[in-house]
Amino acid sequence: MDLLRKIILLSTLIIVANSAPPTCYSAVLKLSKGIMVSMERLEKFSVTRQCLAHLPKLYINVHNACVVIKLRDHIYALENLIVPECRTLKRISFLKFRIERLHNMIARLCHRDLVFYIDDCPALERPPKPEEDIEK
């Protein structure tokens, strides 16, 4: 019986420890990783690959001071795609929605929670080096 109480207490503590709400910073990191995964998936489909071919490359690093500018430019490019059919694709629309959400979070909601370590705008257009990690 005593062992059962200890197990229940331990499992309760684990649940309480894992139930802490995410911080604004962790939400930004999660959303930025999700956008990068979505862009990689969209490049695999032939229909959406044609749409993404007209967009500038974007590698999101939330610690780069230029990320807000690049996200805004990317939103503008998504709104004004050359191929009209691309504007109506649900996957492209959802990508635009997620990028707008990330832009809003970084520029307004989480601006004070983020620390910008670098100010290198061209770095957001090329893939990160292997030693660089997006979470750093």
Side-chain angles (χ1 to χ4, degrees), residues 111-123:
H111 186 69
R112 293 183 182 153
D113 294 346
L114 296 175
V115 176
F116 300 115
Y117 295 121
I118 56 174
D119 187 16
D120 184 15
C121 294

Side-chain angles (χ1 to χ4, degrees), residues 28 31-32 35-36 39 55-79 95-107 114 116 121 124-125:
V28 166
L31 185 57
S32 67
I35 290 170
M36 295 302 299
M39 290 179 72
L55 295 176
K57 291 290 182 187
L58 178 66
Y59 298 95
I60 300 171
N61 180 355
V62 297
H63 299 292
N64 192 330
C66 293
V67 73
V68 176
I69 297 165
K70 290 293 182 181
L71 288 173
R72 187 182 61 222
D73 292 346
H74 216 72
I75 292 167
Y76 179 79
L78 282 167
E79 288 174 346
L95 176 67
K96 182 181 139 213
F97 169 76
R98 291 178 81 183
I99 293 175
E100 286 174 340
R101 188 170 159 206
L102 180 64
H103 178 269
N104 187 34
M105 288 176 74
I106 292 175
L114 296 175
F116 300 115
C121 294
L124 295 173
E125 296 174 0

Side-chain angles (χ1 to χ4, degrees), residues 29 33 60-61 63 128-136:
L29 280 179
K33 285 182 181 179
I60 300 171
N61 180 355
H63 299 292
K129 296 175 186 172
E131 65 268 4
E132 290 182 20
D133 189 10
I134 293 176
E135 290 182 330
K136 285 185 180 179

